[in-house]
Amino acid sequence: MRKRFGKQSVKFENRPVVASTASIVGDIEGAGPLGNYFDIILEDDMWGEESYEKAERKMYEMCVKNAIERLNITSAGIDCLLGGDLLNQLISANYAARQLKIPFLGLYGACSTITESVLIGSMLIDGGFGANIACAASSHFSTAERQYRMPLELGQLATPTSQRTVTGAGCIILSDGCRPDAKKAYSGCSVVVSCGTIGRVIDLGITDANNMGAAMAPAAADTIVTHLNDFNKTVDDYDIIVTGDLGTFGTEMLRDVCQEKGVDLKKKHFDCGAAMFAPEQNTVCGASGCGCAATVVSSYIIGKMISGEIKKALVMATGALMSPLANLQGESIPSIAHAIVLERE
Amino acid sequence: MRKRFGKQSVKFENRPVVASTASIVGDIEGAGPLGNYFDIILEDDMWGEESYEKAERKMYEMCVKNAIERLNITSAGIDCLLGGDLLNQLISANYAARQLKIPFLGLYGACSTITESVLIGSMLIDGGFGANIACAASSHFSTAERQYRMPLELGQLATPTSQRTVTGAGCIILSDGCRPDAKKAYSGCSVVVSCGTIGRVIDLGITDANNMGAAMAPAAADTIVTHLNDFNKTVDDYDIIVTGDLGTFGTEMLRDVCQEKGVDLKKKHFDCGAAMFAPEQNTVCGASGCGCAATVVSSYIIGKMISGEIKKALVMATGALMSPLANLQGESIPSIAHAIVLERE
């Protein structure tokens, strides 16, 4: 069977099964419209740790552990952990991997990390290189804010295009077949990854670190249009087209850019970042961060697929490859979006 | 054919061919004992750019371009670029990928990035997901020093266990078969990737940011021992066992740790970090950085394989997952080592 399609896409012969998922979010995310879908809602975003960074690491580790536990196996049954986070040197993922003792491949795609992980994980499963592969990503409002923008103590006011980094971690375990031992309520034996599109780095010259949506929208548009061309599909072939964390401003921009390219997204598009918070939560343009798509896809989207409400979803997490240093040196903020297609069998 | 071996290893059915390589190094690396093997030696480590970071990005981009050019194809013929660097948000790789316009999967394994890339790239090639996949990594003394340690302006003295970060970039292009059009002098159609071992994050509690060798040696030992066990091999099955950048101190430590586990490395071991500089170059314990293994493997090691001097090499780049922030919060420095086996057919 042909596995490579068009310019950037791949199709799986032995379609990896979404065998288990898990999500953990902070209290503000838990109070939002999707709150009921997350597995664990923290009361305190320090989670008993000494720093926000250590709390994020704990979310990452516990999230992977919970997904493994739901599969009724031990961590020794996981062939490989794929993933990362927003922090420099991927400290959440790396230190979690140290505790988990699972072979680990660190990835960095900023907020696109969860679909980058599932895309690579699916290629490894289909290629025969593992029976169970865990894919996970996390972010934390307080760790991201102080690394990428300003010290928290400044109490910086939100700008009109800003988004709130999600405090949360999501894990998706892919398997090379259905796992009948998995706890039924959690496992999604019925959901598979059928194909995907590897993103390119796109840059239209945005330089505002408080406007991630505008930086990421062109990358999302590029990946959607390429995906549809590579497989000769239209928007109508999908029940839903999910983006990671464009927020309300980025969502508008994505729809406009796609419209210009002859792709009408309006009826099918769902942005995790725009859906995460309610307007009265005052997060301006919504949510962002690795944890945004990771938590929403692993809970809400896959949940709706298991229940049969969604049959075919094109899911692309979007990453702004934002570097405070490169920004200070006059560089704009490039972005990337990796897409996967989830199908209910 | 079985593709998964033991706890952490994989074996390739359609063994990816090392179809092309390229390397670029700084002037100090070029003046070292391996100088003759590198393709391009810079006279000035700013390379006409406005900052060291921009110079590193240029090295990354030009190195990938050179490897592609040697394969007598255009960048449109590369299905995917895999790789990363040491800088936060992988700015060298990300901004290079923006210029190259190749589908890009960002990886972070600190100095283990080149073997992480080749390992994943080989799984993708063997899985049928691409015909040509480029794997690249870079580092730069001046960008790494000021990000991880001290401002360059301080003129910090080297400590007794310190290593000098390599200024350099290396690229290895893997293909799903021999490319007869490739320029023969550069291509290594005779060299294939036969198998590999995915590393685990190992941490023996080292906290000294100036002793990367000691932090990484336990991870290298873990991967070597696991690899030999997974495939039921001994050191004698290899002509050479290559580590990335342990330096002289880390090399001693690796040999001791392996000896304790019943593995005698002495006769076969070669460390790129220990080989890069001559004693009179005063780099204390040798070289380190993503660019160390990337440049030495893509030039010297693969060169010796093409010429037939080396038939079978176990190559593992080693990464200290060092985070200045985690360090300040009292964390030790975990490490990881990913292994690939290169064979001359």
Side-chain angles (χ1 to χ4, degrees):
Chain A
M1 190 185 115
R2 195 154 62 104
K3 290 189 178 180
R4 184 89 197 180
F5 280 74
K7 286 197 300 181
Q8 296 169 227
S9 299
V10 293
K11 191 168 172 180
F12 308 118
E13 192 171 349
N14 307 300
R15 312 206 289 185
V17 172
V18 175
S20 173
T21 66
S23 58
I24 299 177
V25 296
D27 54 341
I28 298 177
E29 290 73 15
L34 305 178
N36 284 339
Y37 293 91
F38 302 121
D39 300 320
I40 294 176
I41 298 171
L42 302 180
E43 285 176 21
D44 161 22
D45 68 356
M46 288 283 277
W47 209 3
E49 296 290 310
E50 287 171 344
S51 70
Y52 297 119
E53 287 76 15
K54 292 189 184 203
E56 184 178 339
R57 185 207 56 72
K58 185 173 173 183
M59 282 197 306
Y60 197 107
E61 181 188 343
M62 294 311 294
C63 184
V64 176
K65 274 193 175 158
N66 290 347
I68 294 172
E69 198 266 333
R70 284 168 177 188
L71 201 48
N72 265 357
I73 58 173
T74 66
S75 60
I78 301 293
D79 294 305
C80 184
L81 171 64
L82 295 170
D85 56 275
L86 284 180
L87 297 185
N88 296 337
Q89 297 87 40
L90 308 187
I91 46 175
S92 313
N94 276 327
Y95 284 99
R98 178 183 70 182
Q99 303 309 116
L100 291 162
K101 299 182 172 60
I102 301 170
F104 174 64
L105 294 164
L107 310 180
Y108 183 78
C111 308
S112 74
T113 301
I114 190 68
T115 49
E116 182 183 358
S117 306
V118 172
L119 186 51
I120 295 179
S122 296
M123 291 192 272
L124 301 197
I125 293 262
D126 187 22
F129 299 105
N132 299 304
I133 290 182
C135 306
S138 71
S139 56
H140 191 298
F141 169 75
S142 298
T143 65
E145 205 60 21
R146 64 188 186 180
Q147 178 181 286
Y148 285 102
R149 295 183 188 89
M150 292 290 173
L152 294 161
E153 292 77 1
L154 267 181
Q156 186 87 347
L157 285 178
T159 66
T161 52
S162 72
Q163 297 170 241
R164 185 183 167 90
T165 303
V166 163
T167 297
C171 177
I172 295 172
I173 298 182
L174 303 171
S175 297
D176 62 355
C178 194
R179 297 286 178 263
D181 289 342
K183 295 179 186 172
K184 286 241 166 66
Y186 299 121
S187 72
C189 284
S190 51
V191 180
V192 299
V193 191
S194 61
C195 59
T197 299
I198 306 171
R200 287 186 309 150
V201 177
I202 303 289
D203 191 338
L204 294 194
I206 301 289
T207 54
D208 179 0
N210 289 303
N211 196 353
M212 296 290 95
M216 294 188 285
D222 188 77
T223 299
I224 290 173
V225 171
T226 303
H227 176 86
L228 296 176
N229 285 340
D230 283 354
F231 289 110
N232 199 19
K233 300 267 188 200
T234 70
V235 168
D236 294 333
D237 289 309
Y238 299 95
D239 296 327
I240 189 169
I241 294 178
V242 180
T243 49
D245 56 344
L246 299 177
T248 51
F249 184 83
T251 289
E252 264 182 65
M253 196 167 150
L254 170 70
R255 292 177 186 179
D256 286 350
V257 176
C258 283
Q259 196 75 59
E260 280 170 25
K261 300 182 187 218
V263 175
D264 182 7
L265 283 187
K266 268 192 284 315
K267 274 181 272 177
K268 306 280 179 149
H269 180 234
F270 172 95
D271 182 65
C272 302
M276 178 67 89
F277 298 118
E280 60 272 21
Q281 287 184 293
N282 293 325
T283 58
V284 196
C285 281
S288 67
C290 280
C292 184
T295 56
V296 175
V297 173
S298 64
S299 61
Y300 177 78
I301 299 292
I302 290 176
K304 294 264 179 210
M305 298 194 77
I306 293 173
S307 71
E309 286 167 80
I310 301 173
K311 294 268 167 57
K312 194 168 180 185
L314 174 60
V315 178
M316 95 211 60
T318 45
L321 305 165
M322 211 262 280
S323 156
L325 178 76
N327 231 205
L328 285 170
Q329 292 187 3
E331 276 286 6
S332 50
I333 305 171
S335 287
I336 196 162
H338 300 291
I340 52 169
V341 174
L342 297 175
E343 292 192 34
R344 194 184 198 287
E345 291 223 293
Chain B
M1 189 183 116
R2 196 155 60 106
K3 290 189 179 179
R4 184 88 198 181
F5 281 73
K7 286 198 300 180
Q8 296 169 225
S9 298
V10 293
K11 192 169 172 179
F12 308 118
E13 191 172 350
N14 307 300
R15 311 204 292 184
V17 173
V18 175
S20 174
T21 65
S23 58
I24 299 177
V25 297
D27 55 340
I28 299 179
E29 291 71 17
L34 306 179
N36 284 341
Y37 293 91
F38 302 121
D39 300 319
I40 295 177
I41 297 171
L42 303 181
E43 285 177 22
D44 161 22
D45 67 356
M46 290 283 277
W47 209 2
E49 296 290 311
E50 288 172 345
S51 71
Y52 298 118
E53 288 75 16
K54 292 188 184 204
E56 183 178 340
R57 184 206 58 72
K58 185 174 174 182
M59 283 199 303
Y60 196 107
E61 181 189 343
M62 294 312 294
C63 184
V64 175
K65 274 193 174 156
N66 290 348
I68 294 172
E69 197 265 333
R70 283 166 178 191
L71 200 47
N72 264 357
I73 59 173
T74 67
S75 60
I78 301 292
D79 294 306
C80 185
L81 171 64
L82 294 170
D85 56 275
L86 284 179
L87 297 185
N88 297 337
Q89 297 89 39
L90 308 187
I91 48 175
S92 314
N94 276 327
Y95 284 100
R98 179 183 69 181
Q99 304 309 116
L100 292 162
K101 299 182 173 62
I102 301 170
F104 174 63
L105 294 165
L107 310 181
Y108 182 78
C111 309
S112 74
T113 300
I114 191 65
T115 49
E116 182 183 357
S117 305
V118 172
L119 186 50
I120 294 179
S122 297
M123 292 192 271
L124 302 196
I125 294 261
D126 186 22
F129 299 106
N132 298 305
I133 290 182
C135 306
S138 71
S139 56
H140 191 298
F141 170 75
S142 298
T143 67
E145 203 61 19
R146 63 188 186 179
Q147 178 181 288
Y148 286 102
R149 295 180 189 90
M150 293 289 175
L152 295 161
E153 293 77 1
L154 266 181
Q156 187 86 347
L157 286 178
T159 66
T161 53
S162 72
Q163 297 169 243
R164 185 183 166 91
T165 303
V166 163
T167 297
C171 178
I172 296 172
I173 298 183
L174 303 172
S175 297
D176 62 354
C178 194
R179 297 284 177 268
D181 289 341
K183 295 179 186 172
K184 286 243 167 64
Y186 299 121
S187 72
C189 284
S190 51
V191 180
V192 299
V193 190
S194 61
C195 59
T197 299
I198 307 171
R200 287 186 308 150
V201 177
I202 303 288
D203 190 340
L204 294 194
I206 301 289
T207 55
D208 180 359
N210 289 304
N211 196 351
M212 296 290 95
M216 293 188 288
D222 188 78
T223 298
I224 291 173
V225 171
T226 302
H227 176 87
L228 297 176
N229 285 340
D230 282 353
F231 288 110
N232 199 20
K233 300 265 186 201
T234 70
V235 168
D236 294 333
D237 289 308
Y238 299 94
D239 296 327
I240 188 170
I241 294 178
V242 180
T243 50
D245 56 344
L246 299 177
T248 51
F249 184 84
T251 289
E252 266 183 65
M253 195 166 152
L254 170 70
R255 292 176 186 179
D256 286 352
V257 176
C258 282
Q259 195 75 59
E260 279 170 26
K261 299 182 189 222
V263 175
D264 182 6
L265 284 187
K266 267 192 284 316
K267 273 181 273 178
K268 306 279 181 151
H269 181 232
F270 172 94
D271 182 65
C272 303
M276 177 67 87
F277 299 118
E280 60 273 21
Q281 288 185 292
N282 292 325
T283 59
V284 197
C285 282
S288 67
C290 280
C292 185
T295 55
V296 175
V297 173
S298 64
S299 62
Y300 178 78
I301 298 291
I302 290 175
K304 293 263 178 213
M305 297 194 76
I306 293 173
S307 71
E309 286 168 79
I310 300 174
K311 294 267 168 58
K312 196 169 179 184
L314 174 60
V315 179
M316 95 210 62
T318 45
L321 304 165
M322 212 262 281
S323 156
L325 179 75
N327 230 206
L328 285 170
Q329 292 187 3
E331 276 287 4
S332 50
I333 304 171
S335 287
I336 196 161
H338 300 292
I340 52 170
V341 173
L342 297 175
E343 292 190 36
R344 194 183 198 289
E345 292 225 292

